[in-house]
């Protein structure tokens, strides 16, 4: 008899099929990525690294090549070739000198870079979480904030990075790392300007592009590594449409991770390898690395560029439609895949009520604090939404307009709702919208769900 867990998986399958995923950090993997992630590679332990010999070869050559490795276990012939394939594809995709595909998550990837370059107490300049940064960029509740000294910079009234503040803090604080990265930011950073500041103060330049890596891969967003940044970290899901996991890309000289190199910018690839293993992780998840390799291969295909462009086109259409329907948007719109809506200013209630209400009709997004938000973290004034997942399902401008219309209808219904608990009283009014959302969702199937 199957474990009850599988019943719950089936229920989640139905939820994903019948609803629309608007959370900008979520996406749907292809059937091939899903197959690789659920493969027997989960049985293999592979501490260490495959050989980093010439990776500028075809996929077929890499897949057939057997090379010596730096592993702590035997039986590595196949996982070595798979991991080298993932490394090679990631390097090609992001114009990097090296890629470490082993981080279990974006958080692990970030901490590995900090650990590779900084000593405890060293200063790291990063975006304030309250202004759109990420937990792993120095939020006091995280472990990294207790090890390194994070100096936060913010955003301007129009939602862009406050570059004047960033430069002033860099010059006065002399940080070891200047980090550009975010979880709720809808502008395209000026990487060239930040790189100039970083070089002036001698800082390592780091970009956490977890949200926009797929847009970079698709050529619709600038690549920080092309502007003098030393390191780029990312997750492999979100816009990149791969499995949940992390990735570190870097510029510099690649050498054996068995030798401890001098701490120089040129040696950052090897310093990072040593920081990932054995510094911060044990055995890599080779089934996830295989799925990463498949996802990178998909992102190297010409059609992925069309997909990335469509994500941005859909986001701009959705943002414009929301504005015409009375929603106030942070920064006035979007330049990427992500939209921040000030629900409080738009319709007079908090973002958590809107999140819960939309969940009841099959529209999934998340409540999100906005810069200067005085509300509690769990009752913020805004919501965050985006277009990667609905674009994967094949939706376009017409569907963006429908989604904006449903959001307006829901906002009008929720205007007089005093709390989340009172939403159940509006259930009958939600039914018509729920049925319409479900119909459209079923018209655009999820690629990896039968």
């Amino acid at each position: 008899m199957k474990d009850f867990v599988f019943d719950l998986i089936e229920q989640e399958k139905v939820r994903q099929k019948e609803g629309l995923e608007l959370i900008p950090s979520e996406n749907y993997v292809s059937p091939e990525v899903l197959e690789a992630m659920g493969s027997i590679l989960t049985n293999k332990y592979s501490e260490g690294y495959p050989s980093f010999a010439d990776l500028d070869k075809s996929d077929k050559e890499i897949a057939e090549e057997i090379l010596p490795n730096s592993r702590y276990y035997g039986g590595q012939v196949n996982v070595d070739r798979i991991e080298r394939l993932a490394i090679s594809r990631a390097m090609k995709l992001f114009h990097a000198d090296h890629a470490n595909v082993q981080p279990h998550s974006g958080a692990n990837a970030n901490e590995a870079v900090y650990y590779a370059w900084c000593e405890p107490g060293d200063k790291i300049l990063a975006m304030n979480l309250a202004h759109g940064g990420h937990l792993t960029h120095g939020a006091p509740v995280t472990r990294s904030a207790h090890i390194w000294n994070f100096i936060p910079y913010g955003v301007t009234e129009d939602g862009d990075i406050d570059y004047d503040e960033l430069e002033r803090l860099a010059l006065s604080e002399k940080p070891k790392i200047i980090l550009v990265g975010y979880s709720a930011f809808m502008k395209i950073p000026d990487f060239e300007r930040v790189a100039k500041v970083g070089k002036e103060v001698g800082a390592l330049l780091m970009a956490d592009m977890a949200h926009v890596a797929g847009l970079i891969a698709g050529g619709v967003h600038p690549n920080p590594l092309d502007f003098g940044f030393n390191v780029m970290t990312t997750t492999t899901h979100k816009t990149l449409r791969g499995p949940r996991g992390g990735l570190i890309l870097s510029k510099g000289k690649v050498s054996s991770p068995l030798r401890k190199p001098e701490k120089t910018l040129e040696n950052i690839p090897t310093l990072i390898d040593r920081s990932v293993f054995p510094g911060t992780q044990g055995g890599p998840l080779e089934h996830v690395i295989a799925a990463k390799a498949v996802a990178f291969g998909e992102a190297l295909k010409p059609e992925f560029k069309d997909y990335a462009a469509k994500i941005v086109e859909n986001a701009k259409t959705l943002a414009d439609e929301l504005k015409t329907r009375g929603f106030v948007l942070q920064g006035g719109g979007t330049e990427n895949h992500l939209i921040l809506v000030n629900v409080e200013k738009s319709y007079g209630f908090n973002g958590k009520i809107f999140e819960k209400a939309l969940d009841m009709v099959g529209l999934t997004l998340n409540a999100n604090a906005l810069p200067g938000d005085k509300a509690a973290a769990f009752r913020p004034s805004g919501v965050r939404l985006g277009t990667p997942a609905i674009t994967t399902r094949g939706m376009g401008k017409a569907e963006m307009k429908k989604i904006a219309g449903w959001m307006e209808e829901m906002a009008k219904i929720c205007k007089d709702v005093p709390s989340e608990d009172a939403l159940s009283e509006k259930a009958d009014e939600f039914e018509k919208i729920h049925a319409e959302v479900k119909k459209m969702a079923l018209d655009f199937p999820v690629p990896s769900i039968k």
Side-chain angles (χ1 to χ4, degrees), residues 394-414:
M395 296 182 189
K397 289 183 178 181
E399 289 73 37
M400 299 308 110
K401 292 176 182 179
K402 284 186 179 180
I403 291 167
W406 289 326
M407 289 178 66
E408 180 188 17
E409 288 183 63
M410 291 295 292
K412 288 177 177 177
I413 295 171
C414 293

Side-chain angles (χ1 to χ4, degrees), residues 331-391:
T334 185
E335 295 176 357
N336 54 32
H337 67 300
L338 185 149
I339 302 164
L340 288 171
V341 179
N342 192 325
V343 183
E344 189 81 52
K345 192 177 284 188
S346 306
Y347 283 94
F349 56 92
N350 70 57
K352 202 65 183 178
I353 289 176
F354 205 34
E355 176 197 303
K356 296 284 187 183
L358 291 175
D359 220 14
M360 292 171 71
V361 300
L363 295 172
T364 308
L365 46 62
N366 65 279
N368 208 93
L370 302 174
D373 215 333
K374 300 294 190 293
F378 292 101
R379 298 290 182 276
S381 59
V383 294
R384 185 184 71 150
L385 66 155
T387 54
I390 52 178
T391 304

Side-chain angles (χ1 to χ4, degrees), residues 386-447:
T387 54
I390 52 178
T391 304
T392 295
R393 289 173 83 154
M395 296 182 189
K397 289 183 178 181
E399 289 73 37
M400 299 308 110
K401 292 176 182 179
K402 284 186 179 180
I403 291 167
W406 289 326
M407 289 178 66
E408 180 188 17
E409 288 183 63
M410 291 295 292
K412 288 177 177 177
I413 295 171
C414 293
K415 278 185 79 170
D416 61 348
V417 174
S419 68
E420 297 152 51
D421 294 337
L423 285 170
S424 58
E425 299 169 14
K426 299 287 184 179
D428 290 343
E429 295 181 63
F430 294 164
E431 274 309 305
K432 173 180 168 291
I433 299 170
H434 191 190
E436 291 174 355
V437 171
K438 179 179 175 180
K439 181 182 182 306
M440 192 167 90
L442 292 174
D443 286 341
F444 292 88
V446 177

Side-chain angles (χ1 to χ4, degrees), residues 312-322 396-398 400-401 404:
V312 176
E313 180 185 282
N314 281 345
K316 290 181 177 179
T317 299
L318 181 54
D320 289 343
E321 282 295 313
L322 289 169
K397 289 183 178 181
M400 299 308 110
K401 292 176 182 179

Side-chain angles (χ1 to χ4, degrees), residues 126-378:
M127 186 183 284
N128 192 326
L129 176 64
H131 285 223
H134 190 263
L135 275 172
T136 59
H137 301 167
V141 294
T142 63
R143 175 177 63 179
S144 57
H146 292 270
I147 302 173
W148 298 286
N149 180 11
F150 285 84
I151 312 294
Y153 61 83
V155 299
T156 58
E157 285 188 11
D158 68 354
D160 207 352
I161 292 171
D162 189 336
Y163 294 101
D164 291 337
E165 181 187 36
L166 184 152
E167 184 170 1
R168 177 178 57 77
L169 288 169
L171 292 171
S172 62
E173 299 289 345
K174 299 291 192 295
K176 290 292 290 292
I177 294 175
I178 296 178
L179 170 56
V180 175
Y182 35 82
S183 62
F185 182 70
M186 74 304 297
K187 302 284 187 180
I188 293 178
D190 187 342
F191 294 118
E192 189 171 15
R193 182 171 178 181
V194 178
K196 184 178 177 183
V197 174
K199 287 170 184 174
E200 188 173 348
V201 300
L204 179 139
L205 289 158
M206 175 182 175
D208 178 352
M209 296 288 101
H211 268 274
V212 296
L215 305 185
I216 293 170
V220 295
H221 189 290
N223 182 344
L225 296 179
D226 294 339
F227 290 87
F229 274 64
N230 310 101
V231 178
M232 179 175 130
T233 60
T234 181
T235 51
T236 48
H237 46 290
K238 302 189 176 85
T239 52
L240 198 50
R241 214 162 54 178
R244 293 189 174 274
L247 171 68
I248 308 174
L249 302 137
S250 53
K251 292 285 192 178
K253 182 179 67 177
V254 183
S255 59
S256 170
L258 295 177
R259 300 194 189 110
K260 187 175 182 179
E262 184 183 353
K263 193 176 278 191
T264 64
L265 289 174
E266 186 183 38
N267 289 332
I268 198 68
T270 308
L271 291 167
I272 286 170
D273 282 348
R274 290 175 60 84
S275 182
V276 173
F277 176 81
T280 54
Q281 288 186 181
L285 310 176
E286 291 296 343
H287 57 301
V288 179
I289 288 173
K292 290 176 185 178
V294 173
F296 300 155
E298 292 173 352
L300 283 164
K301 293 177 180 176
E303 50 265 38
F304 193 86
K305 292 185 183 297
D306 297 332
Y307 166 68
K310 192 74 171 178
I311 289 175
V312 176
E313 180 185 282
N314 281 345
K316 290 181 177 179
T317 299
L318 181 54
D320 289 343
E321 282 295 313
L322 289 169
K323 281 198 294 183
T324 64
R325 295 172 182 276
F327 289 98
V328 177
L329 307 187
Q330 174 74 5
T334 185
E335 295 176 357
N336 54 32
H337 67 300
L338 185 149
I339 302 164
L340 288 171
V341 179
N342 192 325
V343 183
E344 189 81 52
K345 192 177 284 188
S346 306
Y347 283 94
F349 56 92
N350 70 57
K352 202 65 183 178
I353 289 176
F354 205 34
E355 176 197 303
K356 296 284 187 183
L358 291 175
D359 220 14
M360 292 171 71
V361 300
L363 295 172
T364 308
L365 46 62
N366 65 279
N368 208 93
L370 302 174
D373 215 333
K374 300 294 190 293
F378 292 101

